[in-house]
Amino acid sequence: MHRSVGRTLLCATAAAALVAAPLVSVSSASANPQGTGLVIAEAYLKGGSANQPFTNKFVELGNPTDSPVSVDGWSVQYRAATGTGAPSVGKLAGSVPAHGTYLVQMGSNGTNGEALPEPDAVTGLNPSGSTGTLVLADQATALTLPAGAVTTGAPGVIDLLGYGTSNTFETAVAPTGTANAVPDALTRQGTTDTDSNAADFRVTTTVTPENAAGETTQPTDPTDPTDPGDGGTTPAERVTIAQLQGTGEASPFAGKTVTTDGVVTAVYATGGFNGYTVQTAGTGGALDLGTHTASDAVFVYSSATVGSVAIGDAVRLTGTVSEFNGLTELTVPTAAGLTKLPAAGVVQPVPATLTFPRTDAQRESLESMLVAPQGDYTVADNYTTNQYGEVVLASGKQRLLQPTEVARPGSAEAAAVTADNAARKVVLDDGASTNFLSAANQSIPVSWLTQGPVTVGAAATFREPVVLDYRNDSWKFQPTSPITGATPAADLPASFSDVRTAAPENVGGDIRLAGFNVLNYFPTTGDQLTGCTYYTDRDGDPVTVRGGCDARGAANADDLARQQVKIVKAINGLGADVVSLEEIENSARFGQDRDAAVATLVAALNAATGKDTWAYAKSPSKLPSSEDVIRLALIYKKDRVQPVGSSTILTDSTAFTNARQPLAQAFAPVVAKPGKGKGAQKPSAKDTFLVIANHFKSKGSGEGVDADQGDGQGASNHSRVEQAKALVTFSTAMQRQARTDKVFMLGDFNAYSEEDPVVALEDAGYTDLGPTEDASEWSYVFSGLSGSLDHVFASPAALETVTGVDIWNINSVESVGLEYSRYDYNVTDLYRDDVYRASDHDPVVVGIDLPGVGTPGGGNPGHGGDPGHGGNPGHGGPVADALAALAARLAWLRGLFG
């Protein structure tokens, strides 16, 4: 197999804290007989020597697990056979796909051999071909290695290979390498690690490099004929490109040598594709997909000729037809397979003008053709944009939706949403297989994001033709030549509308509430603790804690400052008077006052406002016997509301043993005493309202009754339902304690709007106040699908006070590359000290009117000029508005499902 044409798409595996948590936790050096961690799978150490198949040496890592494993901040290290000092270090970045490999290119002994597939990391290591020690380490600094046997528990060591006569090895040294002129490699037998190099490795004569994209290279024996004109016995058959493509999923000529004519429409000489597309002269334009059944274009894989062609060239090609992961290709291995044809009289192909086809069969009929996309396209996902330069689009004006956001799990309606997502999804790529986070490519400016924000929900407008192809299990729009962040914005084939908002919509009301997930805000940084491991930037500097300690946030004070300024600006920008916080540090776990972290955040908020604006609900005396390292908190504006009584944490329920216990606090408005100037009246019972902060169990894990049932609700759904029931009981008790029936339950419920936990709360009489009635805002984006994990539930009496609701899309819709934790991963610095991507969840804001409380006059941005809520259309009356919102949502659902 050849290849540098694709890449592996990695999806987040947790429903929260996508960056701060590793893709998979990996423990240090230990025997791995079950195949549950990364291993050194192959070591080829003779690259460039006489008779060798490849120019460069390499180490290939293997991942036998069911999930991708991050190697950000890791390294491969080498020490000479008799060495006792620090080994040489080659830094790694990126991920090893599930059941996949990762290719680390090293030095060379000369110029013999073919180039490796595009490596996932390039290092300056140049190991001996016969004896030495190689180590896979979970750190980017040199290890301290003892001489002799290294087995379980060696700090920093994930796997180690001592070979030849090395003084450092696992139990027993692997075989001695042969002479440099003998082609062979040290290859692991299977994917297990018995902790014995001698038992695990064999010298094999077949060298098989494979990168994370699954790309390999098999050098052709120069004595074998590769062109039909060089003595081969099978003549090339003359075919049109449409005949070559055929009308099915695979070419009828796969495995055969053919000759065909076409015009070059796209050239990918750099970036890893190593090829170009050709299309039959005069084809394209306004096509009828009812009669157009075979594509008139094909991708030509040819590193030998890609540098010899230009867009517009008429060519005759002779090569072998194949199907590579679903893409029909014509491989032209030598320059002899390309003939330039006279341009005179050749009618150039034109882009096909049509809306994006909804079926694979229709897309197959356009594979590799030039297209001018028609109609609307909306950005649906940008999770991999900062790594692979690709943007997921949805045809139409609607994002791709989580099925259980709008339909009950397992229902026909949910299946219809899934089908609609598949029919509308297409990926806008950058014409390359570049991993911008790999060590080899971090100096290349990342595509799309460098030229401006690419926000989920934005409209994509095409101004240049693109090529429709199929790579990595996705249909993609490719530019006609590779682009990077250095490409001028005017030369990009598409642009994106600016849908960012500087503030939430006006939700009316004289008091406003909000919920905000603060993405593991930990003032206790990793460098204050022992044992922490880190995600590191391209210079090897720690950025966020990866594991090894209880901290979950920033690595040091500088990183915390970058995180904190975004959170502070976002919270102050909400215009809210009470804010529930999720994922904030439980400082008691570090021997501090339990409220230390929230006090630190409140101090930062007040410093930003320039006055004593904010306070926090202090922890109660009665605490749970066991708590998570993250907790819930409530903060409030002192001149707007006042706490009534003390806060209460749910401590007597077993439902929350695997989640964060809810926190309740009653509040009442601060109202000036009539005729007395400043000062506050005692709160009135009719104005008291109750706020309960929540953070239910995530969808990421569960066993037994909590195992994923395959209905779209993820794992631990049973736990979340039990937590919803316990919350209802807790709410009832807190209402009695606070002497109010107006209760708002806010937070991250880790359940979409039609899932069982939400239904349980609604069945208990609570109303889910979001998403908004226009069904265009959701609080979370996961795996390219939009939905709301974050909710505000109102009791019937509380619902009577609601004037408006808004989800402020500042976090989930922005690229992960904008987070504080992605600082300096690529030469393009995407970090800004603004509100965008302060977290991975979006805040929800609710306006409420309380009896006897007038509209405030100033001092609370966005409130002063809102008499009668005239600035919030559609909210003529609280109950009427809520009912109208629900009716509008039901009507929208009926329209969606017909």
Side-chain angles (χ1 to χ4, degrees):
M1 302 290 287
H2 56 255
R3 215 52 76 226
S4 283
V5 298
R7 60 177 69 99
T8 301
L9 296 180
L10 303 178
C11 294
T13 59
L18 298 179
V19 175
L23 294 169
V24 171
S25 295
V26 181
S27 59
S28 294
S30 61
N32 186 23
Q34 303 304 317
T36 56
L38 296 188
V39 292
I40 297 173
E42 184 175 357
Y44 171 66
L45 308 172
K46 302 176 183 179
S49 294
N51 302 318
Q52 292 299 327
F54 298 103
T55 304
N56 286 89
K57 306 176 184 184
F58 69 81
V59 164
E60 182 181 296
L61 308 181
N63 178 10
T65 75
D66 294 331
S67 300
V69 177
S70 170
V71 291
D72 285 340
W74 289 26
S75 63
V76 168
Q77 305 190 14
Y78 170 72
R79 188 167 75 178
T82 59
T84 57
S88 301
V89 176
K91 295 179 181 180
L92 308 180
S95 304
V96 189
H99 300 291
T101 55
Y102 181 102
L103 189 63
V104 183
Q105 178 174 298
M106 302 190 294
S108 174
N109 293 337
T111 59
N112 297 291
E114 301 289 331
L116 294 171
E118 183 179 1
D120 301 298
V122 177
T123 76
L125 302 181
N126 201 8
S128 164
S130 59
T131 182
T133 302
L134 288 161
V135 188
L136 173 60
D138 65 358
Q139 63 188 56
T141 54
L143 296 167
T144 300
L145 292 174
V150 176
T151 53
T152 58
V157 179
I158 298 299
D159 195 20
L160 183 146
L161 168 59
Y163 58 101
T165 59
S166 176
N167 65 4
T168 309
F169 46 84
E170 288 184 354
T171 305
V173 72
T176 301
T178 53
N180 275 346
V182 179
D184 56 32
L186 287 165
T187 305
R188 182 178 293 276
Q189 305 305 295
T191 57
T192 61
D193 182 2
T194 68
D195 247 0
S196 171
N197 294 152
D200 291 338
F201 285 88
R202 294 287 184 272
V203 175
T204 58
T205 56
T206 302
V207 184
T208 58
E210 182 174 348
N211 64 16
E215 301 163 355
T216 61
T217 300
Q218 297 291 342
T220 302
D221 188 327
T223 63
D224 291 341
T226 58
D227 184 271
D230 67 0
T233 58
T234 304
E237 184 174 351
R238 289 293 301 270
V239 297
T240 65
I241 295 177
Q243 290 173 327
L244 183 161
Q245 281 279 7
T247 58
E249 291 185 1
S251 169
F253 291 91
K256 297 180 180 180
T257 301
V258 301
T259 296
T260 193
D261 294 351
V263 177
V264 177
T265 55
V267 178
Y268 308 105
T270 61
F273 282 11
N274 292 327
Y276 46 99
T277 58
V278 294
Q279 185 167 329
T280 301
T283 58
L287 299 180
D288 179 357
L289 294 183
T291 58
H292 178 84
T293 58
S295 173
D296 291 305
V298 68
F299 177 75
V300 181
Y301 178 76
S302 180
S303 56
T305 64
V306 66
S308 303
V309 298
I311 293 175
D313 286 350
V315 296
R316 176 163 296 157
L317 301 166
T318 298
T320 304
V321 180
S322 64
E323 292 290 331
F324 180 72
N325 292 338
L327 177 67
T328 303
E329 296 185 350
L330 179 66
T331 298
V332 178
T334 67
L338 167 68
T339 300
K340 296 282 189 72
L341 301 176
V346 174
V347 179
Q348 293 285 318
V350 295
T353 53
L354 37 71
T355 57
F356 186 64
R358 291 181 61 88
T359 68
D360 282 339
Q362 292 174 326
R363 297 168 193 172
E364 281 282 352
S365 73
L366 299 168
E367 184 184 76
S368 295
M369 288 183 66
L370 206 60
V371 298
Q374 305 295 298
D376 296 309
Y377 289 86
T378 303
V379 176
D381 194 25
N382 52 20
Y383 185 73
T384 60
T385 308
N386 72 310
Q387 184 170 16
Y388 294 123
E390 53 193 11
V391 182
V392 178
L393 303 178
S395 62
K397 294 183 178 181
Q398 180 72 275
R399 302 193 220 172
L400 304 178
L401 300 180
Q402 286 284 355
T404 54
E405 175 62 35
V406 293
R408 288 289 288 145
S411 66
E413 291 82 3
V417 178
T418 299
D420 182 66
N421 288 338
R424 297 193 298 119
K425 177 184 176 182
V426 61
V427 178
L428 175 60
D429 207 349
D430 60 358
S433 58
T434 305
N435 178 352
F436 293 97
L437 300 183
S438 71
N441 299 318
Q442 286 173 325
S443 61
I444 304 173
V446 63
S447 307
W448 301 115
L449 294 173
T450 302
Q451 291 91 345
V454 180
T455 307
V456 173
T461 301
F462 287 88
R463 54 196 179 201
E464 296 291 341
V466 290
V467 171
L468 177 64
D469 74 359
Y470 187 83
R471 299 174 191 267
N472 305 105
D473 300 320
S474 294
W475 288 99
K476 298 188 176 183
F477 288 145
Q478 302 288 354
T480 56
S481 61
I483 66 170
T484 70
T487 305
D491 293 340
L492 299 178
S495 60
F496 305 97
S497 65
D498 185 357
V499 294
R500 285 177 166 177
T501 55
E505 292 182 8
N506 187 349
V507 295
D510 40 51
I511 298 294
R512 297 183 183 181
L513 318 176
F516 201 115
N517 182 309
V518 291
L519 186 63
N520 289 312
Y521 173 77
F522 272 59
T524 302
T525 53
D527 60 354
Q528 301 175 40
L529 305 172
T530 59
C532 296
T533 59
Y534 301 98
Y535 290 104
T536 58
D537 63 19
R538 63 195 182 107
D539 299 317
D541 295 328
V543 180
T544 50
V545 175
R546 187 178 68 200
C549 62
D550 275 345
R552 292 189 182 179
N556 55 49
D558 288 344
D559 303 313
L560 175 63
R562 282 195 301 273
Q563 179 188 26
Q564 183 170 281
V565 69
K566 279 183 169 287
I567 293 172
V568 166
K569 287 187 176 182
I571 292 176
N572 277 331
L574 285 169
D577 304 307
V578 179
V579 181
S580 72
L581 304 177
E582 303 91 50
E583 288 194 20
I584 191 167
E585 172 192 305
N586 180 2
S587 301
R589 290 288 289 265
F590 304 106
Q592 306 171 44
D593 182 278
R594 186 177 185 272
D595 293 331
V598 66
T600 299
L601 180 56
V602 164
L605 288 164
N606 288 337
T609 62
K611 56 184 179 179
D612 194 22
T613 304
W614 293 91
Y616 60 89
K618 292 179 172 55
S619 292
S621 57
K622 186 179 181 182
L623 299 173
S625 58
S626 177
E627 288 191 277
D628 197 350
V629 72
I630 56 174
R631 54 163 284 196
L632 295 157
L634 288 165
I635 61 175
Y636 61 94
K637 287 179 176 172
K638 296 165 64 175
D639 66 341
R640 302 284 300 128
V641 296
Q642 54 190 314
V644 179
S646 61
S647 68
T648 304
I649 297 176
L650 175 57
T651 60
D652 58 356
S653 172
T654 59
F656 285 92
T657 55
N658 61 355
R660 281 62 50 181
Q661 293 88 347
L663 168 67
Q665 175 69 64
F667 292 96
V670 172
V671 181
K673 294 180 181 179
K676 299 289 186 180
K678 291 185 177 180
Q681 294 176 328
K682 290 184 178 181
S684 167
K686 71 178 184 300
D687 294 335
T688 300
F689 60 96
L690 184 66
V691 177
I692 304 179
N694 299 273
H695 191 180
F696 283 11
K697 176 69 175 73
S698 72
K699 296 173 175 285
S701 61
E703 299 177 352
V705 294
D706 265 339
D708 191 332
Q709 302 300 306
D711 59 359
Q713 300 187 91
S716 297
N717 186 59
H718 175 80
S719 281
R720 288 189 294 277
V721 172
E722 293 304 305
Q723 287 158 14
K725 295 175 181 177
L727 175 60
V728 170
T729 302
F730 180 57
S731 173
T732 300
M734 290 301 96
Q735 290 176 59
R736 287 196 298 266
Q737 177 176 301
R739 298 182 180 180
T740 180
D741 57 357
K742 293 187 283 292
V743 57
F744 296 90
M745 304 186 301
L746 301 85
D748 177 1
F749 291 83
N750 273 311
Y752 294 109
S753 297
E754 293 295 329
E755 293 183 358
D756 295 341
V758 174
V759 171
L761 293 171
E762 292 176 333
D763 287 346
Y766 293 88
T767 299
D768 184 0
L769 299 181
T772 52
E773 57 264 31
D774 63 358
S776 64
E777 292 180 327
W778 297 271
S779 74
Y780 200 67
V781 179
F782 179 73
S783 195
L785 305 179
S786 293
S788 284
L789 299 176
D790 309 88
H791 304 270
V792 178
F793 293 94
S795 66
L799 181 62
E800 290 283 340
T801 71
V802 174
T803 57
V805 184
D806 185 43
I807 298 175
W808 191 19
N809 284 149
I810 55 173
N811 295 327
S812 71
V813 296
E814 299 288 346
S815 166
V816 68
L818 277 61
E819 280 183 12
Y820 85 96
S821 56
R822 294 296 175 136
Y823 177 72
D824 202 27
Y825 271 55
N826 181 266
V827 67
T828 300
D829 178 5
L830 300 173
Y831 176 82
R832 300 291 183 272
D833 61 351
D834 55 24
V835 302
Y836 303 109
R837 199 68 188 192
S839 178
D840 54 345
H841 293 246
D842 290 316
V844 185
V845 187
V846 177
I848 63 175
D849 264 343
L850 297 173
V853 180
T855 300
N860 192 33
H863 291 198
D866 189 32
H869 316 297
N872 193 33
H875 295 291
V879 177
D881 292 341
L883 293 174
L886 293 173
R889 188 172 181 218
L890 290 172
W892 173 74
L893 288 171
R894 285 193 294 271
L896 179 65
F897 302 125

